[in-house]
Amino acid sequence: GGGKRFVVANTHILYNPRRGDIKLQQVEMTLSNIWEASAQGTKPVVYCGDFNTAPFSPLYSFLANGHLDLDSLCPTLLSGQVAWEAA
């Protein structure tokens, strides 16, 4: 048919709450592959999965907004799970 093509990417990011640095690297690698698969952004993308990150954490904000300021962040706190774990 003449339907439009799009890319669906599903992921499962590392669970370890204290390894936000690894999670960020996994997300970056996935996004890089998605960029290539989407013909450099010309095809729509659905990016889903288990990101093992807390809502509104720095990693969540990066996924939602495409911006992350690493200068003021501790790598272990990127996913927001450490703070959530203690609660």
Side-chain angles (χ1 to χ4, degrees):
K4 295 187 178 186
R5 295 181 181 260
F6 62 97
V7 175
V8 176
N10 186 34
T11 190
H12 186 208
I13 301 299
L14 176 74
Y15 167 71
N16 189 329
R18 296 188 182 340
R19 293 311 309 255
D21 54 334
I22 292 176
K23 293 177 191 208
L24 179 60
Q25 185 176 18
Q26 288 177 320
V27 166
E28 188 279 327
M29 289 172 61
T30 307
L31 290 173
S32 178
N33 287 323
I34 290 170
W35 178 254
E36 291 302 318
S38 70
Q40 289 71 40
T42 62
K43 295 178 189 171
V45 173
V46 176
Y47 185 27
C48 53
D50 183 349
F51 294 93
N52 277 311
T53 186
F56 309 108
S57 67
L59 187 55
Y60 176 93
S61 294
F62 172 68
L63 286 164
N65 304 316
H67 178 73
L68 182 64
D69 181 10
L70 290 174
D71 291 336
S72 62
L73 294 175
C74 175
T76 60
L77 302 178
L78 284 174
S79 71
Q81 289 179 300
V82 173
W84 283 59
E85 225 180 36

